Amino acid sequence: MDSIAKQIESVAAALSRARSVAVLTGAGISAESGIRTFRDTMEGLWKEFDPQKLATPQAFAADPALVSRWYDSRRQGCRAADPNPGHTSLADIERHLESRGGRFTLLTQNVDGLHQKAGSRNVVELHGSVHVWRCTKTDKEVTPGPEPFQQFPVPSPWGGTLRPGVVWFGEMLPPAAVEAAEDAATTCDLFFSVGTSAVVYPAAGFVAVAHRRGALTVEINRDPTPISSHVTHSIRGKAGEIIPQLVQHAFK
Ligand code: BJW
């Protein structure tokens, strides 16, 4: 296997020539901003709760106060977090691509809003956003202010209850987001999978779509995942360290 330096050189060369780039990100890219990844255990107040059990419509139906309180605590954490060099380097790639008439699509499974905070513009939120909440009665959306909610479950102005605007297991992803992701995966010449365990579908399937269509596929992850042996290059390392090096080599 090539050294990381060689892989970076080779992927940077492809990035410097690419006309259409798609990037799928997961919780790992925000880990260096202090946001716990989904499958790492939670700390403090929430350490005894398994995120995979809380992120379901069944959990919300059984205990809406608990689930809403958990998401509001995450909303506060995301508001306080700053983008790291992984996020800002992806925004740099978008600017470089745009300046030469190329195309860049950032597909994120994250609900934290850090890509937008870093300056990325063409962001597709596959799993929604923790910053937008929705009335269970009317489906109307609200963007709550900075203060934590005072009451749990959170009363909706329309008489129902507010729930976080995220996509839970068993729920459909927003159709427009899936369409945008399929389009980006089928038309890109370079596809990156960054900081995701690649086990949650349909997001985990987009890399295979891109690969079948002939795109060069690149994984950047701290640990191996089920796609590591199927991509063209699997670069083992932290997103906040690898992506800035790619940008530096590709656009120097
Ligand atoms: C670093 C790093 C650093 C750390 N640098 N790396 C096909 C086959 C099998 C099952 C299904 C299928 N199609 C659908 C399903 C069912 C289900 C599913 O996928 N289940 C699997 C678990 C098997 N999918 C769904 O239900 C989806 N809906 C759907 O498909 O609708 C149609 C349908 C309905 C009913 C039946 C069948 C079809 C919805 C999925 C919604 C996922 N929602 C969540 C919660 C969002 C809200 C919230 O945040 O609370 O999304 S679950 C959770 O997982 C969250 C994440 O976005 C998602 C992915 O996690 P991610 O980002 O990969 O994080 P981690 O923590 O897993 O991994 C972090 C990685 O980073 C690790 O690899 C680390 O090593 C790495 N890392 N630090 C680089 N510094």
Side-chain angles (χ1 to χ4, degrees):
M1 209 228 282
D2 282 347
S3 69
I4 289 182
K6 276 197 172 154
Q7 287 181 308
I8 288 174
E9 209 177 293
S10 169
V11 174
L15 179 57
S16 69
R17 291 188 302 264
R19 282 158 305 154
S20 178
V21 175
V23 181
L24 171 72
T25 62
I29 196 166
S30 295
E32 291 158 77
S33 294
I35 297 178
R36 308 281 299 175
T37 67
F38 205 77
R39 277 156 192 83
D40 282 346
T41 48
M42 303 298 282
E43 276 182 333
L45 191 61
W46 298 103
K47 67 173 181 280
E48 70 270 35
F49 295 100
D50 177 355
Q52 294 186 78
K53 290 195 181 126
L54 290 180
T56 65
Q58 292 79 10
F60 184 71
D63 196 341
L66 171 78
V67 173
S68 307
R69 199 184 284 277
W70 182 59
Y71 275 96
D72 197 40
S73 114
R74 288 180 55 200
R75 180 173 78 93
Q76 297 304 323
C78 295
R79 282 187 68 91
D82 289 318
N84 66 62
H87 297 107
T88 52
S89 300
L90 288 179
D92 288 342
I93 295 175
E94 181 171 17
R95 276 190 290 275
H96 279 288
L97 262 282
E98 269 183 3
S99 71
R100 61 176 196 229
R103 186 172 168 212
F104 181 88
T105 312
L106 182 38
L107 313 168
T108 189
Q109 299 170 85
N110 299 343
V111 299
D112 55 33
L114 286 182
H115 286 304
Q116 293 90 333
K117 231 180 187 177
S120 287
R121 286 191 296 210
N122 192 19
V123 181
V124 177
E125 292 181 314
L126 293 165
H127 295 164
S129 169
V130 79
H131 302 294
V132 174
W133 288 54
R134 192 168 74 234
C135 174
T136 53
K137 196 168 157 193
T138 62
D139 274 347
K140 287 185 181 164
E141 292 186 340
V142 290
T143 303
E147 298 305 319
F149 290 120
Q150 298 297 312
Q151 208 182 323
F152 298 98
V154 185
S156 152
W158 301 283
T161 297
L162 290 184
R163 60 156 282 179
V166 301
V167 181
W168 285 323
F169 284 117
E171 294 186 323
M172 303 297 287
L173 278 64
V178 175
E179 204 176 303
E182 279 167 354
D183 183 49
T186 49
T187 56
C188 69
D189 40 41
L190 182 53
F191 186 101
F192 288 93
S193 175
V194 181
T196 173
S197 55
V199 294
V200 175
Y201 284 82
F206 295 130
V207 64
V209 172
H211 196 73
R212 275 199 299 277
R213 288 294 186 120
L216 191 87
T217 52
V218 181
E219 174 179 61
I220 299 169
N221 201 305
R222 198 191 57 188
D223 304 306
T225 76
I227 64 163
S228 300
S229 54
H230 302 291
V231 290
T232 322
H233 295 279
S234 180
I235 306 179
R236 197 79 67 243
K238 290 185 175 178
E241 292 171 5
I242 303 290
I243 307 173
Q245 292 183 58
L246 285 175
V247 170
Q248 204 191 348
H249 283 74
F251 305 113
K252 62 190 166 201

